[in-house]
Amino acid sequence: MFEQPFLRSDIKSSQHSEQLLLARNRISFLNTGVLFLAGYGESVFLAGKAGNLYQPYWSFQLVTEGVFQLTQEGKSPQKIRKGDFFLTRPGRHYDFEVLENVEKRYIMVSHGVLVTLLCEQGYLAEETVIQGADTAYISRVFDTIQALAASG
């Protein structure tokens, strides 16, 4: 029998809800030259929620509602708002605090040579947040990735 390549996970708590499509076979692609989609998700965080992030993936995220503060270890805090596009890097610690209810969409990509080369050169090498990004275009890209992950 054919097994779907992505698992669906729905997470809910008093201050957070998340729908995630996570690749079943993600570990074997870590630290390879392959650009591998590890997951697609959508999250809602309520104001007052605080926490930290640390993951083995590159995560590309689009904020569709709200405001929160993100602090990468060793750097100054950054406010991230509706319409901002940001990325988190693998193996780095981030703390966050939700200032206004936040909704966001994200994709996780395996840590490997290709994505590191693409994201550690030029503008992205120094920046975590891209303000004023073309959110309509990014949303269409995310829609396509979500459809691909959902269909297997």
Side-chain angles (χ1 to χ4, degrees):
M1 172 141 215
F2 176 73
E3 188 174 308
Q4 287 287 354
F6 286 86
L7 296 169
R8 182 179 177 94
S9 175
D10 293 312
I11 303 164
K12 292 188 188 280
S13 74
S14 62
Q15 289 189 303
H16 169 239
S17 68
E18 190 158 11
Q19 293 180 339
L20 175 64
L21 294 167
L22 189 63
R24 289 180 186 270
N25 193 18
R26 63 195 174 278
I27 300 303
S28 63
F29 291 97
L30 291 176
N31 295 310
T32 71
V34 176
L35 185 59
F36 180 76
L37 177 64
Y40 168 86
E42 297 178 2
S43 300
V44 175
F45 291 92
L46 299 182
K49 171 75 174 167
N52 56 54
L53 300 168
Y54 181 84
Q55 58 198 16
Y57 309 107
W58 289 88
S59 182
F60 300 88
Q61 305 190 37
L62 176 64
V63 178
T64 57
E65 290 295 330
V67 179
F68 71 100
Q69 183 169 283
L70 183 71
T71 307
Q72 180 181 332
E73 186 176 32
K75 297 201 174 188
S76 298
Q78 292 183 281
K79 276 197 181 168
I80 301 176
R81 296 175 167 79
K82 176 182 179 177
D84 289 348
F85 180 74
F86 71 100
L87 68 104
T88 57
R89 293 165 168 81
R92 298 198 188 165
H93 292 272
Y94 299 85
D95 293 313
F96 69 90
E97 180 183 0
V98 180
L99 305 175
E100 297 175 16
N101 292 355
V102 167
E103 295 179 20
K104 63 184 179 73
R105 301 174 77 181
Y106 60 92
I107 59 171
M108 297 181 306
V109 178
S110 66
H111 179 58
V113 176
L114 181 58
V115 72
T116 300
L117 179 65
L118 292 172
C119 294
E120 291 292 347
Q121 303 295 316
Y123 182 76
L124 288 179
E126 298 300 322
E127 294 299 323
T128 297
V129 180
I130 301 171
Q131 296 175 321
D134 184 347
T135 56
Y137 175 76
I138 293 170
S139 288
R140 288 192 304 273
V141 171
F142 276 50
D143 290 343
T144 301
I145 292 168
Q146 177 188 21
L148 288 169
S151 68

